[in-house]
Amino acid sequence: MKLASTVLAAAAALALGASGALAQAKDHVKVGFVYVGPVGDFGWSYQHDVGRKAVEAEFGDKVETTFVESVPEGPDAERVIQQMARSGTDLIFTTSFGYMDQTIKVAKMFPDVKFEHATGYKRADNVSTYSSRFYEGRHVIGLVAGKMTKTNTIGYIASFPIPEVVRGINAAYLAAKSVNPDVQFKIVWVSTWFDPAKEADAAKALIEQGADIIMQHTDSPAAMTIAQENGILAFGQASDMKQFGPDAQLTSIMDHWDPYYISRVQAVLDGTWEETDTWGGFDTGMVQLAEFSDKVPEDVKQMAMEARDAIAAGTLHPFTGPINKQDGSPWLAEGEVADDGTLLGMNFYVEGIEGDLPK
Amino acid sequence: MDLSTLDPIALIVSLIIAATPLVLAATGELVTEKSGVLNLGVEGMMVFGAITGFAAAVESGSPWLGFLASATGGAVLALIFGVMTQYLLSNQVATGLALTMFGLGLAALIGQPYAGVKPPPFPRLDLPLLGDIPVLGRLLFSFDAMVYLSILLVAAVWWFLARTRGGMVLRAVGENHDAAHSLGMKVVPIRLAAIAFGGACAGLGGAYLSLVRVPQWTEGMTAGAGWIALAIVVFASWKPWRVLLGAYLFGGVTILQLNTQALSLNPALPAGAGLIVVGLVWLGLALRAGRPAGLALAALGLGAAALAFGLAAPRFQIGSAWLSMAPYLVTILVLVVMSRDRARAALNAPASLGRVFHAAG
């Protein structure tokens, strides 16, 4: 009797396994995440981890998730990703631009493991890329900043001169300039994604130089805290940073990875996962805005909301000509809209931004 | 380019604030290393001090209690290292590295409820009359108490090591623990005290970050400051005043490069100005001591050339990667040039540094 049930169970397992192999569907997936900062950065990595938790909540026993935090970009990342792939992980999300080459390299060694690289542009049969159109959010905060600055000086804390960051600066500047021709951007590159002390020092330097609104493209809420201390305004980044600057934060561009992560895990469960490139914005909800502060006047808020809705509806593109490059050479003609290829490789400032783009 | 918006006094004030965590942590590590113990866990102790100080300050409402708690926290963490290395004779390098990871993890755990909490403000000492003196008032008398304490700490450590019997005993233990032991010095207790002191100072440095420089708690917020403190101790060839100089140089160039960018200034301008100041000081010292002043003159000449280039090409910029490297490069270069007499510099490294002491009978 016991033997029979064991045999039956084995047969059932075999059958399951066979059908699984056919459709390549799985009943359990192990998902790994590699983060560039600590999960408690209350910015970029924190928001990815919110997505990871959403995956756990959605699938319960069917998934097992792991993560490694504070992984430096570059060679060391390869070791971490490889370790993760070797330990039986089915799907690995590498969530920073600087993991691009390492992800591709490890993916070659593990053809059966699926990889997803955030914000990069290199793909393979088992490597997808995904990102958000953060520049759509930058357009909206640019409008608000242009309207609300009193010193006409916006301070911008930038991390590394990669296309994603350059795109953000250009989008915010063009929007601010469109509502305030006198607006000026002061840009400080800190060469790090996460270093609260350095981010705070950069914010102080910008305030010293007359900035009354701070934008950031780094991961910690340090600049928000400094803005709050100095009684100026700021925009949050990646996550709602209101708790760090209750009076300072005007709104925040929030990354919302949950639906994407859930859909990708589902695809692996279903056996339908394919290499793809996803770039969602306001339209898919991957980019969202935090609640506007009371300090934003009603008409400015109205304008911002209209811009957001128009972008979501596809009737407004933040990069619509005429736009010249910084050196005055034409980039987009009247009415022309930037194509994704140019945006993804953007390595120039638009006309009007001062200072050279570091190489 | 508009130089009128550059306020040199504000620059110096932010430089000193940026350097103070490094001064505190590096001075503590210097004492630990002088006793012959290499504790690589500075980063862990700093970040642990940052959260214990932050939590205590928030709960009690008093930043002073916060600093006290951070020193205690740092010392307790350091003593774990002390017990492991001094009694259980574990490897100092491995234990120190483990301490860093342990400190980062434990701090993240304790810090969970403190993200987004505002710490009580730590007031600047606005000395009534002195603070009102034009220029000098802001430059010398406008800081918070911890800045003065950090400088006092450097002075006290220098005095202790160079001028007291206790300091001599500590150095003897660091130079040759077997000889010190045979003379009846209590090697292990002395080292434990030095380790605890180093931990307390690192804790204070961390709390200065979380309570004053950034005023917030974020996981892993030291972001490598502990490693820089470690490096400064070595490059300062274990001399307290050079530690202060190294920390201020590092903080200064960091602040300067950020301001250079905010101003879209040619970096050759501040570099040239800095070189001329260094050259002048050096020249003065050399002339007073009757030593050849060739290098000082070279610094002056180089500074003048850089300044001329900066003025001639105001729009010239260099890559941000170079600017970010600058604090490290300048600090290493200056401290290495200062200790270029290799024989004398080597004399300063505690001879028993990192070696296990085991009293055999």
Side-chain angles (χ1 to χ4, degrees):
Chain A
M1 194 56 211
K2 200 168 185 194
L3 180 74
S5 68
T6 312
V7 169
L8 265 177
L14 261 177
L16 262 177
S19 70
L22 273 177
Q24 288 199 327
K26 293 173 181 268
D27 47 13
H28 184 267
V29 281
K30 197 169 167 192
V31 189
F33 292 81
V34 184
Y35 303 137
V36 70
V39 289
D41 71 355
F42 282 86
W44 177 259
S45 296
Y46 172 78
Q47 213 59 29
H48 282 285
D49 203 53
V50 168
R52 179 186 67 84
K53 289 182 183 144
V55 166
E56 285 207 322
E58 175 79 16
F59 296 104
D61 292 345
K62 284 197 268 178
V63 295
E64 180 189 342
T65 68
T66 56
F67 67 86
V68 184
E69 58 184 343
S70 300
V71 177
E73 298 184 318
D76 200 34
E78 185 181 324
R79 184 180 57 79
V80 174
I81 302 167
Q82 203 175 350
Q83 180 70 32
M84 212 175 240
R86 188 170 290 135
S87 62
T89 310
D90 305 294
L91 176 62
I92 298 177
F93 293 95
T94 55
T95 64
S96 193
F97 181 79
Y99 302 150
M100 181 160 64
D101 292 337
Q102 287 72 28
T103 305
I104 296 288
K105 202 168 162 195
V106 178
K108 266 200 193 117
M109 294 186 256
F110 297 90
D112 296 333
V113 178
K114 318 284 188 235
F115 294 84
E116 300 255 354
H117 178 238
T119 71
Y121 52 81
K122 290 187 183 167
R123 279 175 293 283
D125 284 344
N126 59 337
V127 183
S128 289
T129 50
Y130 64 102
S131 184
S132 293
R133 295 179 186 268
F134 308 111
Y135 68 88
E136 297 181 350
R138 301 259 167 210
H139 175 86
V140 177
I141 66 171
L143 292 175
V144 177
K147 281 280 188 196
M148 291 191 66
T149 175
K150 294 195 174 68
T151 59
N152 287 333
T153 308
I154 314 289
Y156 203 113
I157 303 170
S159 50
F160 297 100
I162 57 172
E164 183 201 329
V165 176
V166 178
R167 205 159 55 229
I169 295 172
N170 284 337
Y173 176 77
L174 287 171
K177 183 97 175 167
S178 72
V179 294
N180 179 353
D182 297 326
V183 82
Q184 233 199 344
F185 270 40
K186 288 197 186 288
I187 303 159
V188 170
W189 298 88
V190 291
S191 295
T192 178
W193 288 111
F194 178 82
D195 184 345
K198 203 169 176 189
E199 294 168 52
D201 289 341
K204 287 178 197 163
L206 287 164
I207 294 168
E208 188 67 34
Q209 295 310 319
D212 64 346
I213 298 184
I214 302 272
M215 295 181 183
Q216 67 174 84
H217 204 141
T218 47
D219 296 351
S220 95
M224 184 60 76
T225 305
I226 297 299
Q228 174 77 18
E229 259 206 337
N230 286 272
I232 66 153
L233 304 170
F235 293 97
Q237 147 86 357
S239 192
D240 191 345
M241 295 180 173
K242 194 174 171 78
Q243 51 179 339
F244 294 92
D247 304 311
Q249 178 172 294
L250 293 171
T251 181
S252 179
I253 305 173
M254 298 196 296
D255 311 342
H256 189 55
W257 304 106
D258 313 14
Y260 181 75
Y261 285 163
I262 289 170
S263 74
R264 299 309 281 170
V265 173
Q266 185 70 55
V268 172
L269 280 167
D270 296 344
T272 55
W273 190 96
E274 271 183 345
E275 171 257 321
T276 151
D277 175 34
T278 307
W279 208 17
F282 283 134
D283 54 349
T284 59
M286 279 172 90
V287 178
Q288 297 182 351
L289 292 173
E291 200 185 333
F292 281 77
S293 111
D294 299 340
K295 295 208 168 142
V296 184
E298 203 47 48
D299 60 321
V300 177
K301 192 174 159 186
Q302 188 83 28
M303 179 186 68
M305 289 305 186
E306 277 167 17
R308 185 196 63 184
D309 295 342
I311 292 172
T315 52
L316 170 67
H317 193 292
F319 291 103
T320 306
I323 303 174
N324 289 346
K325 294 187 182 179
Q326 190 185 32
D327 59 11
S329 62
W331 172 37
L332 295 174
E334 177 84 42
E336 193 185 349
V337 167
D339 62 281
D340 282 358
T342 315
L343 289 181
L344 283 169
M346 189 172 254
N347 59 355
F348 55 86
Y349 281 151
V350 294
E351 192 172 42
I353 296 182
E354 282 177 25
D356 288 346
L357 179 61
K359 291 294 175 296
Chain B
M1 180 185 65
D2 183 11
L3 278 180
S4 62
T5 55
L6 186 66
D7 179 351
I9 297 169
L11 215 62
I12 293 171
V13 170
S14 24
L15 165 178
I16 290 174
I17 290 175
T20 297
L22 291 177
V23 172
L24 289 165
T27 308
E29 177 67 10
L30 180 139
V31 171
T32 307
E33 291 191 12
K34 270 290 182 190
S35 80
V37 179
L38 181 66
N39 184 354
L40 294 182
V42 183
E43 177 85 359
M45 301 186 297
M46 269 186 101
V47 80
F48 190 67
I51 185 57
T52 45
F54 190 87
V58 167
E59 299 303 339
S60 68
S62 155
W64 281 110
L65 276 178
F67 279 114
L68 191 68
S70 73
T72 316
V76 167
L77 204 65
L79 280 175
I80 299 178
F81 169 89
V83 170
M84 302 281 281
T85 56
Q86 302 307 306
Y87 288 112
L88 307 176
L89 306 185
S90 68
N91 178 293
Q92 293 182 8
V93 171
T95 312
L97 291 174
L99 192 72
T100 288
M101 291 181 233
F102 177 63
L104 282 166
L106 191 61
L109 184 71
I110 299 175
Q112 296 278 354
Y114 291 101
V117 176
K118 197 172 150 54
F122 190 54
R124 290 178 172 188
L125 285 184
D126 270 324
L127 300 169
L129 283 168
L130 293 171
D132 296 334
I133 306 171
V135 185
L136 276 184
R138 268 179 73 205
L139 203 54
L140 297 179
F141 306 110
S142 69
F143 294 101
D144 55 78
M146 284 308 288
V147 168
Y148 302 110
L149 277 180
S150 71
I151 297 170
L152 273 180
L153 181 80
V154 174
V157 162
W158 169 80
W159 177 78
F160 173 75
L161 287 176
R163 293 281 188 272
T164 67
R165 182 176 163 73
M168 203 158 76
V169 170
L170 184 104
R171 283 189 287 139
V173 167
E175 289 303 331
N176 189 333
H177 45 221
D178 293 322
H181 176 67
S182 67
L183 288 173
M185 296 173 186
K186 302 209 174 322
V187 174
V188 169
I190 290 169
R191 286 192 168 165
L192 278 180
I195 290 168
F197 179 79
C201 291
L204 283 176
Y208 194 80
L209 267 179
S210 63
L211 289 175
V212 183
R213 188 167 166 208
V214 189
Q216 70 174 37
W217 164 251
T218 316
E219 215 181 304
M221 68 181 299
T222 43
W227 299 108
I228 295 162
L230 267 168
I232 285 176
V233 174
V234 177
F235 285 112
S237 43
W238 294 270
K239 292 185 173 174
W241 293 111
R242 288 195 188 174
V243 161
L244 187 76
L245 174 76
Y248 278 13
L249 261 176
F250 188 86
V253 183
T254 305
I255 294 296
L256 203 60
Q257 68 100 347
L258 293 172
N259 278 277
T260 305
Q261 291 192 56
L263 268 170
S264 356
L265 208 64
N266 181 341
L269 277 174
L275 269 173
I276 286 179
V277 171
V278 170
L280 283 176
V281 172
W282 203 341
L283 190 66
L285 287 175
L287 288 180
R288 225 185 57 187
R291 281 195 314 243
L295 270 172
L297 288 174
L300 274 177
L302 206 62
L307 213 55
F309 170 68
L311 290 172
R315 297 207 48 86
F316 176 82
Q317 308 270 308
I318 58 170
S320 60
W322 283 99
L323 286 174
S324 297
M325 248 187 276
Y328 301 86
L329 286 179
V330 171
T331 311
I332 292 173
L333 204 69
V334 169
L335 293 176
V336 165
V337 166
M338 280 178 73
S339 40
R340 68 190 180 286
D341 185 344
R342 203 185 295 166
R344 272 178 54 201
L347 273 181
N348 243 317
S352 292
L353 185 60
R355 280 174 44 209
V356 171
F357 170 72
H358 181 53

